[in-house]
Amino acid sequence: MNPFDVDNFLATGGLIGLCILIFIETGLLIGFVFPGDSVLFTAGVFAAQPDPFAPLWLLCVAVPMAAIVGDQVGYFIGRRLGTGAVEGRIVRWIGPEPLEKTHRYFERFGALTVFFARFIGIVRTLTPLVAGFTGMSHRVFTIFSVLGSFTWAAGIIVLGYFLGQVPIIRDHIEVFIIASVVTVVVPTAITLVHRRVRNRRQVPGARG
């Protein structure tokens, strides 16, 4: 199952595959590359079709719960490993910018960052780790995680559900899927390539 081939991913993995993807995107650092917003929107569009892969109400309950569980895993990884949670190979590969941005959000918004981060790409993957190793209250973290997860996941699914009934979107769903995935994949790819090139230039003797 390829999460970047969104329609086939949902057709093959169904609700279980969708929940696993959202869990990984939040709970494990490798999930930062997944197009979570695009998959959620498409899931909502598919739920509006005559033969949906899952009913809307079930999507709006199960998917946010998967996001909440992912948050909890990320939080306890951060609590367990301390700053070592963001000193591994994956974070070095991502680069310092997203981590610095996450820290700035915490400094500016405090616990509200857990809520707002749900809507900000890579930041939603890093936020549980940062909350864990900085010692944020687990109770406070969980409250904002639950609120953010339901607002984000159920909100995007419902948006896709209602827009999926609009003829121009329903009849050209493949175009909208590709466009939504591109908005995630291209910026991520540019960031990673830029980071790799900069690292090569900083290595003594590296060829430009």
Side-chain angles (χ1 to χ4, degrees):
M1 295 187 296
N2 178 4
F4 297 98
D5 186 358
V6 179
D7 51 349
N8 286 331
F9 173 82
L10 292 173
T12 305
L15 177 60
I16 294 177
L18 175 59
C19 289
I20 291 174
L21 182 145
I22 295 302
F23 165 80
I24 293 175
E25 185 187 29
T26 305
L28 306 177
L29 279 173
I30 59 172
F32 81 94
V33 297
F34 291 159
D37 295 337
S38 303
V39 177
L40 291 176
F41 181 82
T42 305
V45 173
F46 285 0
Q49 305 310 305
D51 185 23
F53 75 101
L56 178 65
W57 71 266
L58 184 56
L59 287 169
C60 290
V61 172
V63 179
M65 291 301 297
I68 292 168
V69 174
D71 265 357
Q72 294 296 314
V73 171
Y75 177 88
F76 283 111
I77 289 176
R79 178 65 64 88
R80 175 78 174 178
L81 299 181
T83 56
V86 292
E87 294 174 353
R89 180 178 299 176
I90 294 178
V91 175
R92 291 199 300 270
W93 187 48
I94 295 173
E97 294 85 1
L99 184 58
E100 292 170 358
K101 181 187 295 185
T102 304
H103 278 293
R104 289 198 300 270
Y105 283 136
F106 271 104
E107 292 172 357
R108 183 173 181 180
F109 300 110
L112 282 173
T113 300
V114 179
F115 179 89
F116 292 128
R118 273 289 168 201
F119 302 88
I120 312 173
I122 297 177
V123 175
R124 66 172 159 258
T125 302
L126 294 172
T127 292
L129 291 172
V130 175
F133 75 69
T134 56
M136 173 182 284
S137 163
H138 180 245
R139 178 175 176 274
V140 172
F141 172 81
T142 300
I143 290 173
F144 284 100
S145 169
V146 171
L147 293 174
S149 295
F150 274 96
T151 303
W152 170 68
I156 294 179
I157 290 172
V158 170
L159 179 64
Y161 178 84
F162 284 109
L163 290 180
Q165 300 178 57
V166 177
I168 190 173
I169 295 179
R170 183 183 63 240
D171 298 339
H172 300 87
I173 183 62
E174 295 84 2
V175 175
F176 284 94
I177 291 174
I178 293 172
S180 61
V181 171
V182 166
T183 61
V184 176
V185 174
V186 171
T188 300
I190 291 174
T191 299
L192 294 178
V193 170
H194 175 72
R195 172 67 176 168
R196 184 175 180 83
V197 170
R198 188 172 63 182
N199 285 344
R200 285 173 57 87
R201 288 176 177 174
Q202 291 175 348
V203 175
R207 296 181 179 179

